Amino acid sequence: MTNVGTVFKSNATKAMLLGSGELGREVVIELKRLGLEVIAVDKYANAPAMQVADRSYVISMLDAEKLEEVIRKENPNYIIPEVEAIATSKLVELEEQGFRVIPTAKAVNFTMNREGIRTLAAEKLGMKTSPYAFATTFEEFEQCVEKIGLPCVVKPVMSSSGHGQSVVKTKDDIKPAWDYSQSGGRAGSGKVIVEGFVDFDYEITLLTVRHSGGTSFCAPIGHQQIDGDYRRSWQPHPMSDIALDRAKEYAKLITDALGGYGIFGVEMFIKGDEVLFSEVSPRPHDTGMVTMISQNLSQFALHARAILGIPIANIEQYSPAASRAVVVEGNSAELEYCNLDKVLSRPKTDMRIFGKPCVVGHRRMAVLLARGDTIEQADSKTAEMLKDFDVKLS
């Protein structure tokens, strides 16, 4: 039985988000719709989710003592990690003491670190993956590159959205790639994974929901990344029934091994009817922002319902849809978003402005959404919307 108390009262049902970016913002909105009291935590003030939460805290979530202090102060019913840079060992400890971590502390601990999840998938579950090796020093890194071969991809074992990730195409790229991996990881310098390129036709994200009624899947999402960072996505990505069934088998295998309730973004490479596992995130996925226009329940609504133990009765895809990130370059703490009337003048379109307080260098600041009769039509709409959209920096 799922019951929810009254916000700000002694019986309030409380959720604490660890990480308060644009994805967390949508999770907060869905949790508020279901009557929860929500606390947002991040390393900087006025993060997107903080703007819609009931209250917030600014701490380094890698500081285990401060993290525990905030959790014990609020005593939430649900702890929902939304980023990688968290003292996951502390979450494991707190879960053992009775706190509920979403989906589980074990899942968070494994997936916040690429070494743990790759070892689980390839070595324990026997899933096909790209060739890989791990390195903790530059000397080990050079050996891994030689072993895997060129070209290859290097990523910090603890990062997201392309931070610290680069492609090593020649020997001259080796040292710069190592240096970038040590400065771009969410937890600072540390271990990296070196992955070999695999021959694949396309890559998908299969949003997989573990809930009280079983396991459900959204239609597969195709996406484009630049330097490891999401730029556009579309749904449903066309694929054979055989490949889709195999992708669902892989997604269920890895999510069952991780356990708990919530949405998982399972990334896979597809070659014909063959499937290779890439990564999994135990939370909403940036490519899944397309679901805010493509289906009856967005990935954020699905996550909130699953967390609360509500079964997912149905997931209805409205039509082909697309999303496109708005990446702003420059340095400013005062931005002005212009021409919204023109951007949203087209039918079956929408957008989200994330409300990030500043941009330094380049930063994803909004997403454009559209539906169409075909994926190509929806994607073309978002391209036109981007041309009309203007962001001014003061």
Side-chain angles (χ1 to χ4, degrees):
M1 181 180 294
T2 299
N3 299 329
V4 173
T6 303
V7 294
F8 308 133
K9 301 297 182 180
S10 61
N11 72 333
T13 304
K14 297 198 289 185
M16 175 178 284
L17 262 73
L18 302 181
S20 300
E22 59 265 35
L23 304 183
R25 180 189 182 100
E26 297 296 328
V27 173
V28 171
I29 291 170
E30 295 297 341
L31 291 171
K32 292 301 299 176
R33 284 173 171 161
L34 293 173
L36 273 71
E37 186 174 322
V38 186
I39 306 100
V41 182
D42 213 318
K43 63 182 179 181
Y44 67 97
N46 301 320
M50 292 178 178
Q51 299 166 23
V52 292
D54 294 300
R55 55 189 171 279
S56 62
Y57 294 86
V58 178
I59 65 168
S60 168
M61 291 171 291
L62 291 168
D63 187 323
E65 290 186 4
K66 288 184 179 179
L67 181 62
E68 181 176 6
E69 179 182 343
V70 168
I71 290 172
R72 290 196 180 280
K73 178 180 178 180
E74 289 288 350
N75 192 30
N77 301 86
Y78 306 96
I79 300 171
I80 309 173
E82 289 293 306
V83 296
E84 289 76 13
I86 299 174
T88 54
S89 59
K90 176 57 67 175
L91 295 183
V92 173
E93 177 185 323
L94 290 172
E95 186 175 73
E96 291 173 349
Q97 297 174 21
F99 286 93
R100 185 171 181 183
V101 180
I102 302 301
T104 66
K106 170 190 170 183
V108 173
N109 202 32
F110 266 110
T111 57
M112 294 299 185
N113 186 306
R114 285 189 171 93
E115 183 176 15
I117 197 61
R118 183 56 63 92
T119 301
L120 172 66
E123 300 176 22
K124 295 184 179 179
L125 299 178
M127 301 169 73
K128 293 181 180 179
T129 70
S130 60
Y132 64 93
F134 297 100
T136 55
T137 66
F138 179 66
E139 291 71 24
E140 290 179 357
F141 178 61
E142 288 183 302
Q143 294 170 10
C144 288
V145 172
E146 183 176 353
K147 173 185 175 182
I148 297 298
L150 298 176
C152 60
V153 179
V154 54
K155 307 172 186 175
V157 295
M158 195 168 166
S159 73
S160 68
S161 301
H163 296 289
Q165 177 177 324
S166 58
V167 178
V168 180
K169 298 179 180 178
T170 69
K171 290 184 177 180
D172 291 338
D173 297 329
I174 294 176
K175 185 61 165 62
W178 171 259
D179 291 341
Y180 181 50
S181 74
Q182 297 303 288
S183 64
R186 287 294 176 91
S189 61
K191 186 174 287 190
V192 301
I193 181 173
V194 180
E195 294 184 280
F197 271 87
V198 294
D199 181 24
F200 63 92
D201 298 328
Y202 54 88
E203 184 178 7
I204 65 163
T205 301
L206 188 61
L207 294 174
T208 304
V209 195
R210 298 191 85 250
H211 54 94
S212 60
T215 299
S216 300
F217 305 94
C218 298
I221 297 170
H223 49 86
Q224 178 196 38
Q225 295 182 333
I226 297 177
D227 297 327
D229 195 12
Y230 146 81
R231 294 301 173 93
R232 41 192 279 266
S233 65
W234 50 89
Q235 185 190 35
H237 186 93
M239 57 193 300
S240 71
D241 291 340
I242 294 174
L244 181 56
D245 287 343
R246 288 176 174 170
K248 289 180 178 179
E249 288 176 8
Y250 262 22
K252 191 170 189 308
L253 185 64
I254 192 70
T255 56
D256 281 352
L258 294 172
Y261 288 165
I263 200 160
F264 296 77
V266 186
E267 297 180 58
M268 288 172 275
F269 299 113
I270 313 296
K271 176 67 173 178
D273 292 332
E274 294 301 313
V275 176
L276 275 75
F277 171 81
S278 176
E279 294 185 1
V280 58
S281 302
R283 59 189 182 279
H285 200 272
D286 50 10
T287 65
M289 284 193 279
V290 68
T291 63
M292 290 188 286
I293 197 168
S294 67
Q295 54 191 50
N296 63 320
L297 294 172
S298 73
Q299 63 170 345
F300 310 104
L302 292 169
H303 197 44
R305 292 187 180 205
I307 287 169
L308 295 180
I310 299 171
I312 306 303
N314 73 304
I315 301 174
E316 178 186 350
Q317 174 95 30
Y318 291 139
S319 68
S323 75
R324 188 175 297 259
V326 178
V327 179
V328 177
E329 295 191 14
N331 295 277
S332 177
E334 291 189 12
L335 294 87
E336 183 178 359
Y337 302 92
C338 308
N339 301 328
L340 271 62
D341 53 338
K342 191 173 183 181
V343 173
L344 295 174
S345 63
R346 300 167 180 86
K348 299 180 181 179
T349 60
D350 206 345
M351 69 182 302
R352 299 289 189 276
I353 295 173
F354 303 144
K356 293 179 180 179
C358 67
V359 57
V360 178
H362 71 276
R363 198 173 190 187
R364 191 168 63 212
M365 303 298 282
V367 66
L368 307 173
L369 307 162
R371 293 203 308 268
D373 295 332
T374 64
I375 291 170
E376 291 76 17
Q377 186 185 81
D379 184 62
S380 179
K381 277 189 188 180
T382 63
E384 293 169 0
M385 293 165 71
L386 185 61
K387 288 180 182 178
D388 290 336
F389 193 33
D390 185 28
V391 182
K392 293 181 180 179
L393 279 64
S394 301

